[in-house]
Amino acid sequence: MKIAITSVTGQLGSAIATQLIKEIGKENVIGIARTPEKAKHFGIEIRKGDYNSREQFNNALVGVDTVLLVSGMDAPEKRIEQHRNVIEAAKLNGVKKIVYTSIVGAEQGNAFSPIVQSNRQTEKDIQESGLNWAIGRNGIYIEPDIEYIENYIKEGEIRNCAQNGKCSYTSRKELSYAYVNMLLNDKLNDKIYNLVGEAITQTELANYINKVYGTNLIFNSISVEAYTKERKTELGDFMGTIIAGIYEGILNGIYNLKSDFNIVTGRQHKLALEIIKEIKHN
């Protein structure tokens, strides 16, 4: 059985490919990348595939049994067609199954909603493709908070607009276990799974980081308007709006979800403190 992973050089695609190779061997995994030379280190067959090119995916999916479609990072209005290029190429090549990395979130009501809407459309396109499918809705990654730790230390705080809202954080490594199971276990077909972990507040997140890294961070909440303005100034309108929308979603309880992780993997999702410790030691 040949399993192809799109966007294999991205952080999530890379984590899933690494775990999948451990499970089924290099000879059974195909990586698809916009820039194939960046994926040579996997030691697997790498094929060229840019989400904007249906023709490239027509070639990239030849002889593939199952494809993992990692959600693209482009603007929402572009993603739908990009993902359709993969879906249509999969149908053309007789691919039997698509597994899609979608996201949790509200389809209406905050600045992150347009991205959620585009993912929901791809979910619908996959369900209507006639192929076997399984869809994961990823929670918010905890890694960016750890990657941002130097900034937090400099400012002495974690500052956003989440107030006391809870977020069911996950990690790319935890997600890799889930997606490998979804790729290999046909009993998980034709369902959508919330792949999230323990729900914690921003104060708890700060305390966990303090415990693991020996920092003295506090959490300060500011208004949605003030945080949006701050993020847009630092990150630009597009990304700043998205980040602010995520934290507004946490404030509104959008990311405090019941997890299906145990259904997919047969074990409980690791606790946030445990994941932070793992990230530090890796």
Side-chain angles (χ1 to χ4, degrees), residues 217-267:
L217 304 176
I218 58 170
F219 169 62
N220 281 321
S221 190
I222 60 178
S223 70
V224 173
E225 293 74 23
Y227 188 64
T228 302
K229 183 179 179 182
E230 181 183 291
R231 290 297 89 197
K232 285 168 77 171
T233 299
E234 182 170 337
L235 303 172
D237 283 357
F238 177 64
M239 190 55 66
T241 299
I242 287 172
I243 298 300
I246 289 172
Y247 284 99
E248 184 182 3
I250 296 174
L251 166 66
N252 293 329
I254 300 302
Y255 299 106
N256 186 0
L257 298 166
K258 182 178 182 296
S259 180
D260 298 317
F261 190 87
N262 60 322
I263 297 170
V264 174
T265 65
R267 68 165 172 83

Side-chain angles (χ1 to χ4, degrees), residues 49-69:
D50 185 317
Y51 284 145
N52 291 304
S53 173
R54 167 69 190 280
E55 185 179 356
Q56 286 182 14
F57 271 93
N58 286 349
N59 295 324
L61 296 182
V62 171
V64 168
D65 299 292
T66 299
V67 60
L68 177 82
L69 172 54

Side-chain angles (χ1 to χ4, degrees), residues 148-157 213 215-217:
Y148 206 70
I149 196 166
E150 292 302 324
N151 296 73
Y152 290 152
I153 291 169
K154 194 163 115 182
E155 296 173 359
E157 63 179 3
Y213 285 88
T215 50
N216 293 292
L217 304 176

Side-chain angles (χ1 to χ4, degrees), residues 13-25 173 176-178 180:
S14 178
I16 296 168
T18 300
Q19 185 62 29
L20 185 61
I21 289 165
K22 289 178 186 175
E23 292 289 329
I24 65 172
K173 188 170 183 183
S176 75
Y177 289 106
V180 167

Side-chain angles (χ1 to χ4, degrees), residues 38-241:
K38 291 183 179 178
K40 287 180 179 176
H41 62 281
F42 288 109
I44 59 176
E45 180 184 355
I46 302 296
R47 299 178 181 176
K48 186 172 179 61
D50 185 317
Y51 284 145
N52 291 304
S53 173
R54 167 69 190 280
E55 185 179 356
Q56 286 182 14
F57 271 93
N58 286 349
N59 295 324
L61 296 182
V62 171
V64 168
D65 299 292
T66 299
V67 60
L68 177 82
L69 172 54
V70 178
S71 186
M73 296 295 288
D74 221 322
E77 62 273 14
K78 293 182 180 178
R79 287 187 197 199
I80 294 169
E81 289 306 317
Q82 290 172 338
H83 294 161
R84 282 175 179 164
N85 285 335
V86 181
I87 296 165
E88 292 305 313
K91 289 161 67 175
L92 177 73
N93 279 290
V95 171
K96 297 180 181 68
K97 177 176 172 179
I98 298 181
V99 176
Y100 176 51
T101 72
S102 189
I103 47 173
V104 298
E107 293 177 50
Q108 304 286 341
N110 67 54
F112 193 58
S113 294
I115 290 177
V116 177
Q117 290 168 17
S118 71
N119 280 51
R120 296 292 176 268
Q121 182 59 55
T122 294
E123 291 178 11
K124 186 178 177 185
D125 290 343
I126 288 170
Q127 289 170 297
E128 294 175 352
S129 69
L131 307 182
N132 291 320
W133 58 271
I135 293 168
R137 289 181 177 171
N138 299 349
I140 302 301
Y141 302 152
I142 206 165
E143 288 95 336
D145 281 286
I146 307 306
E147 291 160 8
Y148 206 70
I149 196 166
E150 292 302 324
N151 296 73
Y152 290 152
I153 291 169
K154 194 163 115 182
E155 296 173 359
E157 63 179 3
I158 293 176
R159 183 179 63 254
N160 56 55
C161 60
Q163 294 186 25
N164 292 317
K166 288 191 172 186
C167 180
S168 304
Y169 283 104
T170 188
S171 72
R172 296 182 187 100
K173 188 170 183 183
E174 283 293 88
L175 290 172
S176 75
Y177 289 106
Y179 280 109
V180 167
N181 278 355
M182 290 163 67
L183 287 164
L184 299 178
N185 185 355
D186 286 342
K187 291 180 180 177
L188 298 172
N189 286 2
D190 304 328
K191 290 188 177 64
I192 298 173
Y193 302 97
N194 286 335
L195 302 179
V196 300
E198 172 193 18
I200 61 171
T201 65
Q202 297 296 291
T203 298
E204 288 172 313
L205 175 63
N207 290 340
Y208 290 161
I209 292 173
N210 290 340
K211 188 169 185 177
V212 175
Y213 285 88
T215 50
N216 293 292
L217 304 176
I218 58 170
F219 169 62
N220 281 321
S221 190
I222 60 178
S223 70
V224 173
E225 293 74 23
Y227 188 64
T228 302
K229 183 179 179 182
E230 181 183 291
R231 290 297 89 197
K232 285 168 77 171
T233 299
E234 182 170 337
L235 303 172
D237 283 357
F238 177 64
M239 190 55 66
T241 299

Side-chain angles (χ1 to χ4, degrees), residues 258-281:
K258 182 178 182 296
S259 180
D260 298 317
F261 190 87
N262 60 322
I263 297 170
V264 174
T265 65
R267 68 165 172 83
Q268 294 299 313
H269 193 287
K270 288 180 180 176
L271 298 176
L273 180 59
E274 190 179 353
I275 293 172
I276 293 170
K277 286 177 180 177
E278 276 189 356
I279 292 170
K280 185 187 178 187
H281 294 117

